[in-house]
Amino acid sequence: SADRKVRVWAFSEDQEGTGSNLELDCTIELEDDVYKVQIKDGGAGPPSLLAAYSNKVSCFELAGSACTLRFTIECNLRGMVFGGVRNVKSLAYVFDFDADDDVLVAACSDGTVRVHRSSDGEELSCIGLPVQAPVSSVRLIQHKASSNLSGFVLV
């Protein structure tokens, strides 16, 4: 959002089963406009919230009304600088990302796709594309039959 905040609401069906209760659970304040958010199922643990803003993707653990920062990925400039006067800091903005249990991929404005481990944010790879243009969207398709990390990144 343009106010640099992510708001998490909790909802549940009311006792009569005729509607739902909605209440603000927590608010996360970030340092720049928020481009995308995604909830990741935590399996046996609490779910995570991923938020892309500026040149970063942050992962927060959602436990009750607490939103605790787990890690932040910072996409430092590795490709071309785009954005002209709108990008005076020459940042590699994260325009989109996709994540599953193993991998997080981020589409960056410097023409690269960053591949990270989604459990701790460790960088696994940086893919430079053959075209000189910002990457605006990315999708991840994993091979679940494999015992190692493998799959496809769609740009």
Side-chain angles (χ1 to χ4, degrees):
S1 66
D3 68 356
R4 302 176 176 189
K5 293 180 182 177
V6 175
R7 293 167 184 82
V8 180
W9 283 272
F11 67 91
S12 59
E13 190 173 56
D14 64 16
Q15 292 181 357
E16 293 81 34
T18 59
S20 61
N21 298 318
L22 185 67
E23 56 187 72
L24 186 61
D25 224 20
C26 69
T27 301
I28 302 167
E29 294 193 36
L30 300 170
E31 59 197 51
D32 205 343
D33 295 351
V34 179
Y35 298 121
K36 180 178 180 176
V37 295
Q38 178 179 329
I39 298 286
K40 197 166 80 80
D41 183 11
S48 297
L49 179 134
L50 298 162
Y53 58 99
S54 185
N55 66 328
K56 299 175 183 163
V57 178
S58 287
C59 178
F60 298 87
E61 185 175 281
L62 303 177
S65 61
C67 299
T68 307
L69 178 66
R70 289 186 49 222
F71 62 83
T72 296
I73 295 165
E74 187 167 348
C75 296
N76 296 314
L77 188 68
R78 294 196 187 155
M80 303 278 300
V81 176
F82 294 98
V85 296
R86 294 175 298 156
N87 190 4
V88 295
K89 295 179 182 177
S90 297
L91 296 176
Y93 282 91
V94 177
F95 287 149
D96 192 20
F97 67 86
D98 198 11
D100 66 11
D101 294 340
D102 302 313
V103 177
L104 182 149
V105 292
C108 298
S109 68
D110 66 351
T112 63
V113 173
R114 313 298 172 90
V115 182
H116 294 263
R117 190 181 346 266
S118 62
S119 61
D120 59 10
E122 179 185 342
E123 184 172 316
L124 302 173
S125 182
C126 176
I127 304 167
L129 300 181
V131 296
Q132 293 185 354
V135 181
S136 59
S137 65
V138 67
R139 291 297 166 261
L140 175 67
I141 301 172
Q142 284 259 21
H143 290 293
K144 291 297 183 182
S146 176
S147 62
N148 61 354
L149 295 178
S150 63
F152 299 98
V153 176
L154 306 178
V155 178

